[in-house]
Amino acid sequence: MYVRGKAMRNFIVSIVILFVLIVMMGCGTKSSYIQTSGTKIVNVAEGFTVGRVEDQSIFYFGPHDSDAFIIDETMKAELEAQLVKYKLIGNGYKIDVNILDYSPGNAFARWILPGLGATRLAVEALIKDKEGVVLAKIPVNRHISAGGAFTIGAYKRIFTDVAQEIVDVIKKQK
């Protein structure tokens, strides 16, 4: 009887550890700051405005999708909100954003099988000076691959996450 109880306890501990690992690995963000060769260094104190935001992804909401929103407008609004939040608004530089990939995913599918129904957003932010010269690039790739109920709404919240990451990368340049 003791052996069976010990085996059951080990099984339960293994399942809990696996669940925790899946949840921890279920989200990820990759980003970097790439200074364009031969250009001046960005002075964060001069501030930023959001310029052109272009949706280059191939995703389109269906005509009867009640959760539909305009992808490029949402990205622009979220980035502007983050710049305001961290007092980085100004006329020194312009940030243009190319949305390279977007998938809203599905929280129920992520709950059933982690990795299935992933929410993804990949962008490239370009920091330009007043003459339009690209001084730096900030690629950001965010995904939410696991989780159920707590990831409901991730299809839109991911834009806030990516905007926050862009601003975090900029702030590190001080």
Side-chain angles (χ1 to χ4, degrees), residues 53-129:
V53 177
E54 184 178 340
D55 180 10
Q56 299 173 354
S57 73
I58 58 171
F59 179 79
Y60 293 97
F61 287 100
H64 303 292
D65 194 337
S66 62
D67 293 333
F69 58 90
I70 300 171
I71 294 170
D72 51 358
E73 288 179 9
T74 301
M75 183 73 244
K76 185 171 188 162
E78 291 298 334
L79 184 53
E80 287 172 343
Q82 293 300 318
L83 290 170
V84 168
K85 179 179 177 181
Y86 291 98
K87 298 175 177 55
L88 293 175
I89 288 289
N91 292 320
Y93 304 98
K94 181 171 68 169
I95 303 173
D96 288 345
V97 180
N98 296 317
I99 299 169
L100 306 173
D101 182 34
Y102 173 68
S103 175
N106 183 296
F108 181 72
R110 286 191 294 273
W111 179 70
I112 296 296
L113 183 62
L116 186 66
T119 298
R120 295 185 319 274
L121 179 60
V123 305
E124 181 180 59
L126 305 171
I127 299 177
K128 297 181 176 182
D129 65 11

Side-chain angles (χ1 to χ4, degrees), residues 26-28 110 117-120 142-147 151 154-155 157-158 161:
C27 299
R110 286 191 294 273
T119 298
R120 295 185 319 274
R142 171 97 171 118
H143 68 88
I144 301 166
S145 302
T151 64
Y155 71 97
R157 193 172 51 250
I158 198 166
D161 297 344

Side-chain angles (χ1 to χ4, degrees), residues 160-171:
T160 305
D161 297 344
V162 168
Q164 176 69 54
E165 184 65 21
I166 292 169
V167 170
D168 285 348
V169 170
I170 289 170
K171 288 188 325 186

Side-chain angles (χ1 to χ4, degrees), residues 30-44:
K30 293 181 185 178
S31 64
S32 60
Y33 183 87
I34 304 165
Q35 181 76 35
T36 305
S37 179
T39 60
K40 63 183 177 182
I41 304 234
V42 173
N43 178 3
V44 177

